[in-house]
Each structure stands twice: as C-alpha cells, then as structure tokens.
Amino acid sequence: MDTVRWIITIAPEIFLLLAIAIGTILGRMRIHGISIGTTTCILIVAVLIGQLGNFTFPPILRTILFSLFVFTIGYRSGPEFFASLRFRTLAQVVLALVIGGTGLALVLFFASSFKLDPGTAAGLTAGALTQSSVIGTASGALAQLGLPKAALEQQEANIAAGYAVTYVLGYILTLLFVPFVAPRLMQVDLKMEAAKLEVQLAGGAPPKTENLSYRKFQARAYRVSTAAGRRIEAIEAEIGHRTVVERIVRRGADIAPHRDTMLEPGDDIVLTGPTAGLVTAKPVIGTEIDADELLRNLPGNVIEVLVENRRLHGRSIREVAEIVGDNARGVFLRALTRMGREVPLGPDTRVYIGDVMTLVGSTSNIARATAQVGHALHAGDRTDIAFLAGGIAVGLLAGLANFKVGAVARALGGGGGALIAGIVCGWLRSRKPTMGALPPAAQQTLSDLGLGGFIAAIGLGNGLAAWSAIQAHGLLLVGMGIVVTLIPMTVGTLFAYYVLRMNPVVTCGALAGAMTVDAAVTGACDVAGSQTPVLGVAVPYAVGNVVLTVLGPIVVARTFTA
C-alpha cells in the first residue's frame, strides 16, 4: 500500500487514465442487450479507486477536459439547434422544453422538501435526466459561490454521489419507457403506427422494400439507333427513374452531354441510374454494347454529405429535390443517416441539418449537388486546431462575465461559456464549410476523452466523501431519481400526443432525443419493426443537450439561495 500511496502522490494521472480505461471497457459490456454506458462506469471505477488515498488534480486539468467535452456538444448541436427554431420543427422543440422544464420543477420541489444541498440536487438532475454535462456546469457554478475548500469538495462529492446513484436507473428506465410505456400511454400499437407512417413516407404506396430503400445504381453503354434525331432531355424523360446520359462518344470524340444535345446514329452513350430505369432503356435508345473502356473512364463516386443548408431543414425528400433542382441531376440518394442510424427513405421523409446523405453518381454531378446540400465528409479531414482552441478560449473568457440574479452576482462559468462558444462555432461552420473543420470521428474522441477524464477526476478526487454520501442518501436518491426520470417523460408523452398532435412513432424517437438517450431509439425500432422512430430524434436531441446542460447552474443557484 505504501507503493500505491507513493504513486498517488507522485503520478495521480496514472490512476485517472486507468479509471478511464477500465470504465470504458465495463461500459461496453451488455447484459441482455443493455449497457449502462461508459460515463457511469468510469465514475464508479474512479470512486472505488478513490478509496485508496487522497487524489489531487490541478483545477486547470478539469477545466480543459470539461471544456473540450461541452464545446463538442455545442459544436455538434449548434447547426440543428438554430435550424430547429422554425415552425416546421416547433412541436419537437416544445417537447424537449417540456421535459426539461418538468424535470427542473421536480428537482427543485425535492430540494425544497428534503432540504437537499446544491451538490446533491445537481447530481440528481444529472443522473435522473441522464445528462452528464450537468456535472460540469454545476461544479463550475459551485466554484463561484465562494465556499471554503472543504465545503466545495463536499459539494462536488455530493454531485458525484447523486449522479452515480440515479444515472444507471434513469438510463434503464428511459430505455424501457420509450418503446413499451409511451405507446401504452398514447393507446397505440407502435408496430401498426410505424406501418402507417411508412405508407405515408412512401407517398401513399404500400410499404414495399423498393419504396423505402435505394435500388442499385448502375452504368450501362448503348449504341444509338432508335434514339437517333432525339434530344437527351426527351430520352431521359421517356426512360424515367431519373436516369441520366453521362457520356457521349461520337466518331471517337467525347461530346459534352447537355439536355438539348441531339443524338446521332452510331453514337455510343453511357446511361446511369437505378436498375429499374436501365432495364427499360434498350428499346428507347438502341443496342446495349459491351464497352468496358467507356465505363472504366466514367468517374463514378459514392460520397457521404453532411446536410448543412438551412433551407433543407425539416423538408421532405421530395421538397429537397425541388429545391436543389437541376443540381440533383444524375445524383441518387442511397441512404440517409441520422445520429448513426439509417432513416427509412420515401418521398415524404424529412431531412434535418446534421443528417448524413450517401449520394451516388458521377464525380462532377455529386460535386454540384454537394454544394447545394452541405459538405462532403472525407476520412482524411483534419481538425482545425486553431479554430477549436480559439473557440474554447473565447467561451472561457465569456464565462467570466458577471451578471446579477437578484442581489447575487453570477457568472456564466467556463462550462456555460464553452457550450455557447461551441454552439456558435458549429453554426458558423455550417454557414462557411471551409472553416473550423471538426470531423465526426474527432468530435467523438474529444467528447469521450473530455467527459471521461473530467468524470474520472471528480470520482478520484472526491471518492471517499462520495462513498459516504452514497451510503447516507442512497435510498432517498433512488426514490427521487425514479420520479424525476419517469414524470417528465410521462408528461412529455401525453403533451406531445394529445396537445401537439405529434405522430406517436415520431414521439417515441423525440422522447429518446429529449432525454439524450439515443440508445432508446433502438428499442423503439425493434418494437416497431421499423426504423421510423429515428425520424423524431434529431431536433429534440440538439435542444435537449443544450437545455439540460444549462440546468446545472440553475439548480445550484435556486438551491443555494433557497
């Protein structure tokens, strides 16, 4: 033990990294398909390791780690957050606000009734509402209260204790509530409602596979005979299925294909499009030929494009095609992904900022369409470190600004400042895609490392006091946590279905998004036998991340002055 204590004194960062590593491994484990998540496991491991001795970390380490995490949240949510402030997505925004507001009211009620200290109330908020970032914003708010060092450490320990006790239960209850309880409250069969929604998305046609997914994109070569003397525009219109003449070779020379180009006998052309269109092209054009050289030189591509154009937010795929217009010629939508999950495709499927479109077509056509949609995602994209560091620095500076709540001076705090800076920087990036690159993989790394390191530092530094707090208030926190988790979702479900008149399938996805437990969507999709619940996740998730994060300072302020 003397050796362990010596290492704790000399190099406590070793245990911090061990807590992250062990907690992450445990968080990936699934029991009956359910995982409690890496954040909770890291905190629990850190609290247990914290029993070995007195861990001390410089405050700047925690500030930087949490700033990286909360800035990334803001950066990821910023474009969707601003774009969601429109009439088309107003119902989903209101649902997220109702859930956050109900949760806040319940926490303040319990804090007043049971005389909870600010740390315990903040931990209850973070765990029961399944929003880990509340820990950081609440810790920042506590640091501004001028508490003695021992009292501040105890409050931080109480945050860790409240979170550790309530998060696991809140997470599991959310996973069960969304697919099983919410449909019962709305008195609907989720599977039947999903089938109806698929019909609606398919434009009223029966929900067959071909209506909701992409048919294979191909390119074939033909020698013009039947089509001689006709314009390309007429040929494409007759074949249909958005097929496009990509290339014309006339007497050995390439001819630029325009809509008004007249085809001549003996022209070799390359036609691209879905298989359904190409199989009907032969009688319209002429003989299909085996022209490997024609097809080999055709610059085809499959590109993932991040949707950033505000004009497309909340629009159906049919409307998106109309907005993009001729720029979509020769480009086909293979898949639409939202928060890592594929969305069912149909003419009425809605597109939101932050979605990822998988586009198929020639390189030139995709480049033209991409400019109207957002920007292409490339594996080799590098993070703009100057933009990242500068944005966080500005956010931390803004967090120092004081304002008054009644007679008490308050500051936004580093966490709040970094969050707002992230939102603004993410929005700026959506407006000017050439600046501030922060690829999705880098976002996930910064988010995981920042939150994991911050949580580990909290657990290690306050392990002894947190364990005592858990033993003293564990059962009470469990009871309050159940209420704070279930009541907001119940209120949100009934309000969305009976007041906002939201589709029940979309409501289930929106509940998961507003609670920022996107894993709950998987359960809803399984019960529905469809991916349609994913349609409701994006906007509430963006709003929920912001709204729930700012609850930390509010809870601290209200319980400290109460």
Side-chain angles (χ1 to χ4, degrees):
M1 286 300 295
D2 290 340
T3 302
V4 173
R5 293 192 181 95
W6 177 76
I7 296 174
I8 291 173
T9 303
I10 300 299
E13 64 274 10
I14 294 174
F15 291 93
L16 183 143
L17 294 172
L18 280 175
I20 295 174
I22 297 171
T24 300
I25 293 171
L26 293 176
R28 291 172 179 167
M29 296 181 178
R30 294 182 175 274
I31 301 175
H32 299 295
I34 297 177
S35 168
I36 62 175
T38 58
T39 305
T40 306
C41 289
I42 290 173
L43 179 59
I44 293 173
V45 169
V47 169
L48 293 177
I49 295 177
Q51 309 306 306
L52 298 175
N54 183 23
F55 290 84
T56 302
F57 297 99
I60 190 174
L61 174 65
R62 284 171 32 179
T63 298
I64 291 175
L65 288 171
F66 185 70
S67 296
L68 286 172
F69 164 65
V70 78
F71 178 89
T72 304
I73 286 181
Y75 184 95
R76 183 186 301 162
S77 302
E80 296 176 35
F81 180 78
F82 283 111
S84 66
L85 304 179
R86 295 186 173 191
F87 182 76
R88 285 190 300 274
T89 54
L90 182 59
Q92 296 180 30
V93 174
V94 171
L95 174 58
L97 294 176
V98 166
I99 288 178
T102 305
L104 174 62
L106 287 170
V107 169
L108 295 180
F109 170 77
F110 283 132
S112 176
S113 300
F114 295 96
K115 307 301 180 185
L116 300 181
D117 58 82
T120 302
L124 171 63
T125 305
L129 295 178
T130 63
Q131 181 55 263
S132 306
S133 58
V134 172
I135 298 175
T137 54
S139 297
L142 285 168
Q144 301 173 31
L145 299 179
L147 298 173
K149 184 174 183 295
L152 178 60
E153 290 177 350
Q154 182 61 58
Q155 291 297 321
E156 291 181 340
N158 291 346
I159 293 178
Y163 177 83
V165 170
T166 58
Y167 180 84
V168 176
L169 193 57
Y171 188 84
I172 293 174
L173 287 175
T174 302
L175 291 179
L176 296 174
F177 185 96
V178 170
F180 300 112
V181 180
R184 288 184 175 273
L185 289 175
M186 293 182 284
Q187 299 180 336
V188 299
D189 183 313
L190 196 60
K191 193 166 188 176
M192 291 180 59
E193 293 297 328
K196 293 178 184 177
L197 183 55
E198 286 185 348
V199 172
Q200 179 183 340
L201 294 175
K208 299 177 182 178
T209 304
E210 59 264 31
N211 290 328
L212 300 177
S213 64
Y214 171 76
R215 285 187 168 195
K216 189 176 180 182
F217 174 85
Q218 290 187 348
R220 295 186 183 181
Y222 299 86
R223 180 152 292 157
V224 173
S225 57
T226 313
R230 302 183 64 187
R231 298 183 188 277
I232 286 179
E233 184 176 20
I235 298 296
E236 293 176 348
E238 183 174 348
I239 297 172
H241 299 279
R242 299 186 65 243
T243 52
V244 172
V245 175
E246 286 284 356
R247 188 178 185 190
I248 303 174
V249 176
R250 181 175 296 164
R251 292 183 287 276
D254 274 287
I255 303 296
H258 301 293
R259 288 192 168 186
D260 59 352
T261 301
M262 192 82 72
L263 296 180
E264 296 183 3
D267 285 351
D268 290 336
I269 70 170
V270 174
L271 194 70
T272 61
T275 304
L278 298 185
V279 296
T280 64
K282 182 178 178 180
V284 179
I285 300 174
T287 306
E288 184 173 355
I289 60 176
D290 184 12
D292 291 340
E293 191 64 28
L294 283 175
L295 299 176
R296 187 181 300 117
N297 294 332
L298 183 69
N301 221 336
V302 179
I303 294 291
E304 290 187 338
V305 178
L306 181 67
V307 179
E308 294 180 322
N309 188 339
R310 288 174 60 86
R311 293 193 303 154
L312 307 184
H313 186 75
R315 302 282 189 178
S316 67
I317 290 178
R318 182 189 291 108
E319 291 173 322
V320 169
E322 293 173 355
I323 292 172
V324 177
D326 288 345
N327 292 302
R329 183 174 181 267
V331 179
F332 300 86
L333 179 62
R334 170 185 283 184
L336 182 68
T337 306
R338 184 167 299 155
M339 297 179 63
R341 290 178 171 82
E342 193 166 325
V343 176
L345 291 180
D348 291 323
T349 299
R350 298 283 171 178
V351 174
Y352 297 102
I353 283 181
D355 288 354
V356 175
M357 289 183 171
T358 303
L359 301 181
V360 184
S362 69
T363 302
S364 58
N365 286 340
I366 286 183
R368 188 175 62 246
T370 297
Q372 302 297 315
V373 174
H375 79 274
L377 300 176
H378 301 287
D381 286 346
R382 298 180 60 183
T383 299
D384 187 341
I385 296 297
F387 186 83
L388 172 67
I392 294 176
V394 171
L396 294 177
L397 181 62
L400 299 177
N402 287 316
F403 59 93
K404 283 195 173 184
V405 179
V408 182
R410 302 287 184 197
L412 189 61
L419 175 66
I420 292 175
I423 292 173
V424 173
C425 287
W427 175 77
L428 286 174
R429 165 70 172 171
S430 69
R431 305 288 289 188
K432 295 184 178 181
T434 57
M435 64 181 289
L438 188 57
Q443 293 178 29
Q444 194 62 51
T445 300
L446 290 175
S447 177
D448 291 344
L449 183 61
L451 179 60
F454 175 77
I455 291 294
I458 289 283
L460 290 170
N462 302 282
L464 294 170
W467 183 249
S468 299
I470 291 173
Q471 291 176 313
H473 305 294
L475 289 177
L476 176 62
L477 286 171
V478 166
M480 291 187 295
I482 291 174
V483 175
V484 175
T485 298
L486 292 180
I487 295 300
M489 286 195 292
T490 300
V491 172
T493 301
L494 298 175
F495 190 81
Y497 187 64
Y498 292 106
V499 178
L500 300 177
R501 301 294 182 181
M502 288 175 58
N503 181 282
V505 181
V506 175
T507 296
C508 288
L511 288 171
M515 290 292 288
T516 65
V517 181
D518 56 330
V521 181
T522 302
C525 291
D526 290 342
V527 172
S530 166
Q531 289 295 107
T532 48
V534 178
L535 299 171
V537 176
V539 171
Y541 187 84
V543 177
N545 265 314
V546 176
V547 170
L548 296 181
T549 298
V550 302
L551 293 186
I554 296 174
V555 169
V556 169
R558 296 294 297 175
T559 53
F560 181 75
T561 57

